Amino acid sequence: MCESLLLFGLGMQEILVIALIVLLLFGGKKIPELMKGLGKGVKSFKEGMNEVTDLTKDEKDEKKDE
């Protein structure tokens, strides 16, 4: 199997099985809402990580100035 088809160590067959299970559990109409919520969650997580990175950078700069 091609390395580019692997996602988190999963092959295409595993990804298709997971997608089928999600489709069966939530239905076709609910999936876009789930993906939208997941996207918002990822965006919020990235913003939080950037804030932490900025704070630590500021603290390092303050220690250098002392």
Side-chain angles (χ1 to χ4, degrees), residues 22-63:
V22 169
L23 182 62
L24 290 173
L25 288 175
F26 297 106
K29 293 183 179 180
K30 203 71 162 157
I31 291 175
E33 293 175 23
L34 291 170
M35 293 299 110
K36 185 176 179 182
L38 181 64
K40 286 182 179 181
V42 169
K43 182 179 177 184
S44 175
F45 179 76
K46 284 183 179 181
E47 288 173 354
M49 290 299 294
N50 287 337
E51 288 178 18
V52 169
T53 303
D54 291 343
L55 287 174
T56 55
K57 186 186 289 185
D58 290 343
E59 288 177 3
K60 286 181 182 178
D61 290 342
E62 287 178 5
K63 287 182 180 179

